[in-house]
Amino acid sequence: MILMNDFRSEPSSLREAMYGAVRRVIDSGQFVLGDEVASFESEWSARCKTSHAIGVGNGMDALEIIFRALGVGPGDEVITTPMTAFATVLAILRAGAEPVLADIEPSSALLDRDSVLRCLSSRTRALVLVHLYGQLGDMASWKELCADHGIYLVEDCAQSHLASRDGKVAGSFGAAGAYSFYPTKNLGGAGDGGMIVTNDGVIAEMALKMRNYGQSRRYSHPVVGLNSRLDELQAAILRVRADFLDEFTSRRRAIATRYHKEIENVHVDKLAPANELAAHVHHLYVVTTPYRDRLIDYLRFNGIQALIHFPIPIHLQPPCLHLRRDAHGLSAAEHHADTCLSIPCHPQLSDDDVSKVISTINRFEV
């Protein structure tokens, strides 16, 4: 079976290095907020070209802490997309703010600018751009929109590790960016983990307090915080895995390039390619088809796993039925959710695996 993710097929050198990292932490006797976390924060901020990086428990906490550090909370609205993991919206709700949902562009599944403009109100404090599937949109345009309307630009970088555009890296365009290091991400650990990146020293200082019970120093709690600390074991593992990230990203791009050139089936559509190679890290390769269930079964019969990200848009989730949304509706998001399908694009796929995926899809008939 060709899997969506296959950690067991990763290089033995990576596995051995991970064992060594775990041993290093155990031998150190430091298990919470020690040298591994500090080193990984420094290394990741350098790679993201930001002044600060703050390790936290997971990607959702990273977003919540960003909102709280910005003072976004009760009475405020935050615009984002309905095509995202529930964690994006849950972080807004946990901060006490109200999510407002804008529609997407059918060609990319990224937020639609006109829809966002229709969602703006006097209560809008922030826009969360989700770099869905690993792609950066027109960031200059989004920065201009946020500046013109006096709102914060927050980046959800959970799927876009080190994607870049015009020389700037995901997470460095707005007030702050939130990374997830969940195992299936382009850079993932052996459990949960997250990171806040920012060039704003005030946000960074607040985030450092917020992740650790609101402490400014031991037993001094000037603010109400969270217990959301990236632990030493995960930081050590992530430092090792980060050494393989560029190689793995190059492989993802090579696979995606073949898919885009060679998949040809009248029943299967591909999303538009990124305008700049570096702007897409292909966390997922997504096609759309009105015959999704048939295609999933057909692929499985032929030994290929496929998954749906995300089958139910946020506004159709029971806790979110009341959320304000674009008055013109969210038809593009609904259509995408009904037709999208992720096919294997992980870096351990062989050339023969990729050829099999392509030929199998091209033979698909209705």
Side-chain angles (χ1 to χ4, degrees):
M1 174 70 77
I2 298 175
L3 302 174
M4 284 294 298
N5 294 285
D6 189 358
F7 300 116
R8 291 171 298 181
S9 67
E10 289 181 333
S12 60
S13 58
L14 172 55
R15 188 180 300 270
E16 291 303 315
M18 290 170 64
Y19 290 147
V22 171
R23 189 177 302 110
R24 187 170 71 237
V25 172
I26 294 172
D27 290 346
S28 77
Q30 292 184 314
F31 301 131
V32 177
L33 294 184
D35 292 341
E36 295 291 344
V37 169
S39 294
F40 182 48
E41 288 172 336
S42 177
E43 291 157 5
W44 193 248
S45 68
R47 298 196 72 178
C48 292
K49 301 180 181 179
T50 58
S51 303
H52 309 277
I54 303 94
V56 295
N58 54 70
M60 186 185 78
D61 285 359
L63 283 171
E64 180 184 349
I65 291 170
I66 289 170
F67 297 136
R68 293 177 65 175
L70 291 170
V72 174
D76 296 328
E77 293 181 343
V78 178
I79 299 171
T80 194
T81 173
M83 278 307 302
T84 184
F86 194 75
T88 305
V89 169
L90 184 55
I92 299 169
L93 292 169
R94 283 173 56 90
E98 299 178 31
V100 178
L101 302 174
D103 211 356
I104 63 171
E105 299 173 342
S107 61
S108 67
L110 299 176
L111 268 176
D112 179 83
R113 180 186 174 88
D114 290 339
S115 183
V116 168
L117 289 171
R118 289 192 292 269
C119 290
L120 288 167
S121 78
S122 60
R123 296 170 57 201
T124 305
R125 289 288 308 284
L127 168 68
V128 178
L129 279 186
V130 177
H131 302 317
L132 193 67
Y133 307 146
Q135 59 186 322
L136 297 182
D138 185 350
M139 298 305 296
S141 175
W142 288 117
K143 286 184 65 176
E144 180 182 27
L145 183 151
C146 289
D148 288 347
H149 293 276
I151 63 176
Y152 295 114
L153 173 60
V154 175
E155 298 174 67
D156 184 335
C157 309
Q159 299 185 3
S160 60
H161 296 71
L162 302 187
S164 65
R165 187 156 184 164
D166 301 322
K168 291 176 65 68
V169 179
S172 69
F173 292 90
Y179 279 93
S180 167
F181 301 121
Y182 187 77
T184 58
K185 305 302 184 185
N186 288 32
L187 177 59
D192 272 319
M195 188 80 79
I196 297 163
V197 295
T198 184
N199 287 309
D200 189 316
V202 175
I203 294 174
E205 182 179 358
M206 182 61 75
L208 285 168
K209 297 173 186 172
M210 295 288 298
R211 73 172 176 184
N212 194 26
Y213 310 131
Q215 287 190 120
S216 56
R217 62 183 186 277
R218 191 172 177 83
Y219 300 125
S220 178
H221 301 262
V223 297
V224 175
L226 293 75
N227 179 8
S228 182
R229 301 171 297 218
L230 179 65
D231 69 55
E232 286 286 286
L233 282 170
Q234 294 304 332
I237 288 170
L238 288 164
R239 293 181 69 197
V240 166
R241 295 187 66 85
D243 289 339
F244 289 75
L245 181 57
D246 289 343
E247 175 189 341
F248 286 179
T249 298
S250 294
R251 180 59 181 161
R252 288 178 183 271
R253 286 180 175 139
I255 293 167
T257 297
R258 283 198 61 192
Y259 283 163
H260 197 77
K261 289 181 177 178
E262 298 178 38
I263 291 177
E264 294 291 344
N265 188 310
V266 295
H267 304 302
V268 179
D269 292 318
K270 295 164 288 189
L271 299 181
N275 291 331
E276 185 178 337
L277 178 65
H280 207 321
V281 294
H282 299 285
H283 171 63
L284 296 170
Y285 190 93
V286 175
V287 298
T288 61
T289 175
Y291 309 103
R292 183 171 64 193
D293 290 345
R294 293 192 205 179
L295 181 55
I296 291 174
D297 290 343
Y298 174 76
L299 289 171
R300 185 184 300 114
F301 178 81
N302 284 279
I304 300 168
Q305 184 183 33
L307 297 176
I308 306 170
H309 302 85
F310 304 93
I312 305 174
I314 297 297
H315 63 291
L316 298 182
Q317 300 284 357
C320 300
L321 298 177
H322 67 287
L323 295 183
R324 191 167 77 80
R325 63 203 64 173
D326 184 350
H328 289 196
L330 303 173
S331 58
E334 291 171 4
H335 179 74
H336 187 79
D338 286 342
T339 59
C340 63
L341 185 66
S342 303
I343 60 176
C345 192
H346 66 80
Q348 278 66 57
L349 292 176
S350 68
D351 288 344
D352 287 344
D353 290 335
V354 176
S355 295
K356 180 176 179 179
V357 173
I358 293 168
S359 63
T360 303
I361 291 176
N362 287 348
R363 293 195 308 270
F364 174 65
E365 296 179 350
V366 177

